[in-house]
Structures are given as C-alpha cells and as structure tokens.
Amino acid sequence: AKGMGRNNVQFYLDELQAGAEEKLRLEDGLRIAIVNREFELHFQPQVNGQGRMIGAEALLRWRHPEMGNIPPSIFIPVAEEAGIIHSIGSWVLDDAVAKLASWLNTDVPYAGHLSVNVSAWQFARVDFVEQVRKVLEKYQVSPERLMLEVTETALLYDFDQTVSKLRELRELGVQISLDDFGTGYSSLAYLKDLPLDELKIDKAFIDEMLLNQDHTLVESIMAIGGCMKLKVIAEGVESAMQRDALLNLGCTQFQGYLFSKPLPEIEFLKWVTLQQS
Ligand code: C2E
Ligand code: CA
Ligand code: CA
Ligand code: CA
C-alpha cells in the first residue's frame, strides 16, 4: 500500500508538472501566434424563425505549428491569465471588422450584424471604447453592423465604469449582447440599469429543454427579455425539437449546429450566398 501511495504522489506530481509545462508552452505559443499568422476567425450564422440569416458570430481558432488546433476554451483562459488577451482581442476585433467591411463592399449578400466576443479583461481597459471607434473608422463600417458579446463577469466588475462604457458604445451605434446569460450571478436589479440590445441564452439551458423537458429557465429569460425590451437569441440549438420548443416560447433568433457549425470564411460565404438565393 505504501508503494501505491508513493506512485500516486509521483503520478500527481507528473500531472502537475505536465500541466504547468503545457501552460508555459501555450503561453509562449500565444505570444508569437499573431506574428506567425496562426489565428483565424470562423463564422457561425445566426438565423430567424424562418431560417433566414440575421447575422453571425466570429469565433477564434488557433492552429499551433506542433500541437495542432487548440480550442478557445483552453487558450483564452491562458491568454487572460498571462495578460496576452489584449493583443489577441485587438487582433480579433480588427480582423472581424476588416472581414465585415470586405463582405459589405463586395457583392456578397451578407445580411445583419457580426458579433465579436470581448473578454472581461479587454472590456475593462480604459481605452476600449476608443479602440472600437477607431477600428470602425479604419474600415468605414457602420457601427450598427457590429455587435459586441460581453459576459456578466465583464459587466459587474466595476458597475459605474461599465454603465458609462456601454452608454458610449451605444452612442456610437454599436450593439451589445449579454453572452452566456443566466450562468452568472448578476441580479436583475443591476441588469435593468445596463443599456443592452440582446440577451444570449446559454447552451446549457437549451440542452436542459431536451434533457429534462424543462422549459422554466428559458421561459424566465424570455420574460426578462420582454420586460427589458431586448432581443433574445438562443445558442447551441442542435435539433428541430429545440428550435420548435423555443419558437413556442417566443424565441425567434437562433444559432447552433442545426443551422450551421462555425465555418472558415470561404465556406461561410458559400453558406451566405446559398441561403440568400
Ligand atoms: P461562446 O461565446 O459561448 O461561443 C459558443 C460556443 O459554442 C462556440 O465554441 C461554438 O462553436 C459552440 N457552438 C455553437 N453552436 C453549437 C451547437 O449547436 N452545439 C455545440 N455543442 N456547440 C456549439 P468555441 O468556438 O469552441 O468557443 C468557445 C468559447 O471560447 C466561446 O464561447 C467564447 O467564450 C470563447 N471565444 C471564442 N472566440 C473568442 C474570441 O474571439 N474572443 C474571446 N474573448 N473569446 C472567444
Ligand atoms: Ca459568444
Ligand atoms: Ca455564448
Ligand atoms: Ca456558452
């Protein structure tokens, strides 16, 4: 038994070591990923009740030269912890708006907005609004075409700052979506004072509708959205049953594998062209 214990400890130490080493490796990789052009945005369509496109969400992809594709759920937290998220976030915003501008300036039948994820750390920067304004000016994109997806964590950190930043973004004409809505701890008392355009229902609640036949949470979110006069979009919609249940609850905006996975630009534009014809 003594030997076993020792082995377990050794195993634990090895795991810990690997974890720390891997993290350092990711950090080092992330620091040079922009210059090495290893990042790419994929685009996932958002549709209405008739299945017509209303916009899309830009999702970041990273291909490490040796480790291959690393999911954002792994590398975004590492980038945040290492303080590299600012340069990555700036790259994402710039590339997303550049792509949007190029679609709008050609004969791609692109409809609606483009949503871009903003990390809490990015949003916290004093010059964030200025950064958004500059990038819109740089590519001459009309602000209503840009939607920023922020999480509750990002908004509740410094409430007064948040409210004034959201107001400034709103004045610019940029739209704001509250991502992963319902998974945080924000109180409705706070929410009602936030100038927002959209609530995005987290996939967990959409899954719940099928798994446990439980519609209560989605129903509540729809009610909140109604009271606050916000658009509501459901993410992670994978089946027609989910879409129909959502439609029954009054939700008419969807994103999920049922309609399309996130696609590289070329395939995304094919999807756009096909469904608009
Ligand atoms: P998120 O913002 O909640 O994005 C939705 C995630 O759900 C995406 O995962 C998307 O590919 C996935 N998804 C969409 N529809 C379905 C579906 O029907 N079924 C399933 N199973 N999944 C679906 P992804 O691309 O791996 O991104 C994960 C998270 O990484 C995002 O969650 C977001 O928090 C973060 N992220 C991605 N791109 C960026 C970025 O550019 N900046 C920042 N700060 N975070 C990003
Ligand atoms: Ca998102
Ligand atoms: Ca989300
Ligand atoms: Ca989510």
Side-chain angles (χ1 to χ4, degrees):
K2 216 176 171 186
M4 270 291 282
R6 194 193 146 80
N7 280 341
N8 280 340
V9 170
Q10 193 55 53
F11 178 73
Y12 174 74
L13 289 176
D14 286 346
E15 281 280 282
L16 204 69
Q17 191 71 12
E21 264 169 29
E22 174 153 315
K23 225 166 88 181
L24 277 179
R25 203 166 163 214
L26 288 178
E27 269 185 45
D28 287 344
L30 283 167
R31 282 182 216 283
I32 51 172
I34 295 179
V35 200
N36 287 2
R37 298 174 169 274
E38 292 162 12
F39 285 130
E40 190 179 290
L41 290 178
H42 283 197
F43 303 93
Q44 186 175 33
Q46 300 177 338
V47 302
N48 66 15
Q50 287 78 46
R52 303 289 286 187
M53 177 183 190
I54 52 163
E57 178 179 7
L59 292 156
L60 186 56
R61 298 293 176 257
W62 180 30
R63 182 188 287 272
H64 187 280
E66 288 126 33
M67 292 187 272
N69 291 326
I70 299 161
S73 54
I74 301 286
F75 73 78
I76 295 281
V78 174
E80 286 176 333
E81 225 180 288
I84 322 167
I85 192 66
H86 300 292
S87 51
I88 297 176
S90 304
W91 182 88
V92 168
L93 188 64
D94 190 275
D95 198 58
V97 175
K99 294 274 152 58
L100 182 58
S102 79
W103 304 334
L104 296 172
N105 291 334
T106 53
D107 49 8
V108 175
Y110 188 85
H113 62 268
L114 182 62
S115 290
V116 175
N117 290 287
V118 174
S119 151
W121 300 78
Q122 241 181 308
F123 187 82
R125 288 279 278 243
V126 278
D127 61 348
F128 179 68
V129 178
E130 186 55 17
Q131 204 199 334
V132 173
R133 199 188 55 74
K134 277 194 184 138
V135 80
L136 289 167
E137 200 175 82
K138 176 176 172 191
Y139 294 105
Q140 290 292 299
V141 164
S142 106
E144 311 80 58
R145 293 285 197 160
L146 179 64
M147 189 179 281
L148 299 174
E149 294 197 1
V150 288
T151 58
E152 291 165 72
T153 334
L155 299 186
L156 297 181
Y157 173 64
D158 181 339
F159 196 72
D160 293 340
Q161 275 295 315
T162 291
V163 172
S164 67
K165 272 183 199 165
L166 291 180
R167 285 217 181 103
E168 285 175 58
L169 289 167
R170 272 293 214 55
E171 272 161 33
L172 270 182
V174 171
Q175 301 189 70
I176 315 284
S177 176
L178 188 49
D179 201 0
D180 300 341
F181 184 64
T183 59
Y185 299 95
S186 53
S187 90
L188 293 178
Y190 282 119
L191 268 185
K192 83 168 175 24
D193 293 323
L194 294 175
L196 301 169
D197 297 278
E198 180 184 270
L199 297 178
K200 195 160 190 183
I201 311 177
D202 192 68
K203 181 177 183 297
F205 303 125
I206 308 304
D207 291 342
E208 191 70 8
M209 297 180 84
L210 274 196
L211 284 176
N212 301 324
Q213 294 297 312
D214 189 350
H215 296 179
T216 11
L217 281 164
V218 173
E219 232 175 298
S220 312
I221 295 176
M222 290 310 301
I224 295 166
C227 289
M228 292 170 58
K229 305 209 162 43
L230 301 173
K231 298 187 269 190
V232 180
I233 184 165
E235 74 173 13
V237 180
E238 294 179 345
S239 74
M241 254 166 84
Q242 283 170 322
R243 180 204 48 208
D244 295 343
L246 284 160
L247 277 171
N248 274 329
L249 297 175
C251 180
T252 56
Q253 306 204 36
F254 316 99
Q255 183 181 341
Y257 294 173
L258 174 64
F259 309 98
S260 169
K261 292 201 167 184
L263 301 168
E265 185 186 17
I266 299 195
E267 273 120 86
F268 172 69
L269 292 181
K270 279 184 199 154
W271 186 94
V272 170
T273 309
L274 252 173
Q275 77 96 48
Q276 292 288 75
S277 62

